[in-house]
Amino acid sequence: MFRFPWQKPKRRQSKYAAPYGQTRPQEPNRSPVTKRIEHTIGYLEQRLGQSDDFVIRTFHVMGDTPAVICYFTHLTDGAHKEVLKSLMTIGNRQETAKLRGGKLTRQLMNDFLFASDGFTVKDREAVSEELLGGSTIVHVEGSDEICVFGTRNIEKRAIDQPETEQVIRGPREGFIEPISTNLSLIRYRLQSPDLRIKTLKLGKRTRSTVAVCYMDGITNRKLLDEVMHRLSLIDIDGILDSGYLEQLIEDNHYSPFPQVQLTERPDKAVANLLEGRVILIVDGSPMALIVPTVFTQFYQTSEDYAERFLLVSFIRLARLLALLFSLVFPSLYVAIISFNPELIPTEFAVAVAGGRAGVPFPAVVEVLIMEISMEVLREATIRLPQQVGGALSIVGVLVVGQAAVAAGFVSPITVVVIALTTIGSFATPAYNAALALRLLRFPIIIASGMFGLYGVMVGLIFIANHMLSLKSFGVPYLSPIVPGDYEGMKDSLFRAPLWWMKRRPAMLQPGDDTRLSEKRMHELEHSKHNVLDPLPVNESGEGHEGQSASNHGDPSGDHRY
């Protein structure tokens, strides 16, 4: 049946993949494992084809019982040898006679194979999926279960400082591509028994592992159910990056504003988990997704909570002003120069008119040309190698800009306006939010060139109205400003002291909204004694209670401990 893009699909039963590392029951419409290893070998050769890196080795265990071990050499990297070594050292023919049938596999798993993440499966499709994920499988003749061992071992880059979220004060660790490493970084920073991690496979071809992280008792169960429901409805060939998930699960697909936040920082992911949000991690992507997301999160950084609140509040306000500055400054310049030059001082108006003398284009065309040129230069700088990109940016800004002004192609004031606008866009911590503002600059510039300040105001009203209509998993996009939330406002435009933020934001409807114990905070405030203050000195040269000021109560005069 036809559906409009804005209509939500009808809910259906969710089908989640079983968590990795647990016993997996046979799923409906799947072929069961037979007791003959020849059938298993034939199925795997037909399903996986003839590949040079796919190894099928037959051998005997416990005397004369046939068995087969299968693995991909480039995914296990020698980790399968420990499993094979354990199999080669098992008992004799008499033990085999006692353990025919399904009991043999259980005996192998419990007494001989010492892999920490081993389990058994009963359907052949799950066997092929585990092999493609880097596991090693063992099938013993006479058993209707196959042993699966997690032997995945692939090359990975070192944990390094995140490139997109630089901080001066704070941790230097960042997510990398393997999902196991990323989950370990979260577990390392959040050693709580309430942390829950659910995994599922997405992508018909890639079968990418997606981890859903949340805090039991804090995260709202309705939010978690909605996240799992949207993930279960995804039916696509491949999930190659977390950006695929972002585009598929966001509420409004046609909005330029991001409704899912990205982060490379484990500490930022943990902070959002403690507030009641859900973290999505895709195997093969260094970017974690944070849902739900509001607009105020895009000009906040993890460093804001490591510094004192007075300094951070000033920096955050400057960051917000730079964000607004990058959006409206070019359009305001066009509107005032083209329609309302009487709004600027006379001396400055004369200087602007002198600078624009001889420029063949109107202000709106001049600004658009400079904006497009700056976007092209920025894109070229990003795509070029790092050794060349820096030189290109210097040449593009200084040499080409100066030559354009000297040739009368653009005015000096326009170059200054575009340069300040670009610097303001760089001050936005979130790249996807800065990209949305860069896109919205162009329609506002065109509106200001057509209608002046009226066009600027109409454009801003349209943007504000659109942001008011946006939601991220049911949370209004402009929360906690609209609708108002007092606890959330403490960490929006300004950052209140940590001891003021006793409750979690109400917009997330957490199960446990207490973040800071008021009683313990009260005791902490009253326990701050200045124990090393100098004692008052009387006329006789003695300190308080007759003690000498020279030794501050130490009768021996020795200041050593």
Side-chain angles (χ1 to χ4, degrees), residues 238-250:
I239 301 292
L240 303 179
D241 187 76
S242 58
Y244 288 66
L245 282 187
E246 178 188 2
Q247 299 174 64
L248 292 172
I249 66 176
E250 62 184 357

Side-chain angles (χ1 to χ4, degrees), residues 140-341:
V140 181
E141 183 77 20
S143 175
D144 59 352
E145 294 180 329
I146 293 181
C147 303
V148 181
F149 302 96
T151 55
R152 181 178 181 179
N153 190 0
I154 59 177
E155 294 295 331
K156 59 185 179 182
R157 63 185 176 96
I159 298 175
D160 201 357
Q161 185 172 354
E163 295 293 337
T164 59
E165 296 175 274
Q166 300 281 349
V167 296
I168 297 177
R169 181 176 181 178
R172 298 294 191 270
E173 296 174 337
F175 289 132
I176 58 176
E177 284 73 19
I179 190 173
S180 57
T181 305
N182 297 339
L183 294 178
S184 67
L185 290 174
I186 292 180
R187 282 284 184 188
Y188 163 69
R189 295 197 167 275
L190 188 55
Q191 301 178 20
S192 170
D194 297 328
L195 176 60
R196 301 289 185 268
I197 299 175
K198 304 296 183 182
T199 59
L200 59 153
K201 299 282 188 177
L202 294 181
K204 292 183 295 185
R205 303 290 183 183
T206 59
R207 304 301 297 164
S208 303
T209 303
V210 178
V212 182
C213 309
Y214 65 96
M215 290 294 291
D216 188 28
I218 297 179
T219 304
N220 190 288
R221 298 298 303 184
K222 294 181 179 179
L223 170 62
L224 179 63
D225 292 341
E226 179 64 21
V227 172
M228 298 299 292
H229 172 69
R230 296 190 188 186
L231 293 177
S232 67
L233 295 178
I234 295 176
D235 188 10
I236 191 174
D237 277 350
I239 301 292
L240 303 179
D241 187 76
S242 58
Y244 288 66
L245 282 187
E246 178 188 2
Q247 299 174 64
L248 292 172
I249 66 176
E250 62 184 357
D251 291 65
N252 191 328
H253 302 289
Y254 303 101
S255 173
F257 291 99
Q259 297 133 62
V260 177
Q261 190 178 18
L262 309 176
T263 183
E264 282 187 275
R265 303 188 61 85
D267 58 326
K268 188 172 183 178
V270 169
N272 283 275
L273 283 172
L274 293 175
E275 286 191 349
R277 292 183 173 87
V278 177
I279 307 298
L280 303 178
I281 302 178
V282 180
D283 193 12
S285 174
M287 290 286 187
L289 305 182
I290 302 173
V291 293
T293 300
V294 295
F295 182 73
T296 56
Q297 293 178 243
F298 292 109
Y299 57 85
Q300 300 173 358
T301 65
S302 58
E303 192 178 12
D304 292 353
Y305 305 91
E307 287 286 355
R308 296 187 299 277
F309 72 97
L310 287 176
L311 307 178
V312 169
S313 298
F314 171 75
I315 295 174
R316 182 178 290 183
L317 183 60
R319 204 181 293 146
L320 179 60
L321 291 177
L323 184 148
L324 298 175
F325 193 75
S326 66
L327 176 64
V328 301
F329 191 41
S331 56
L332 286 177
Y333 166 74
V334 171
I336 292 176
I337 293 298
S338 303
F339 291 88
N340 304 98

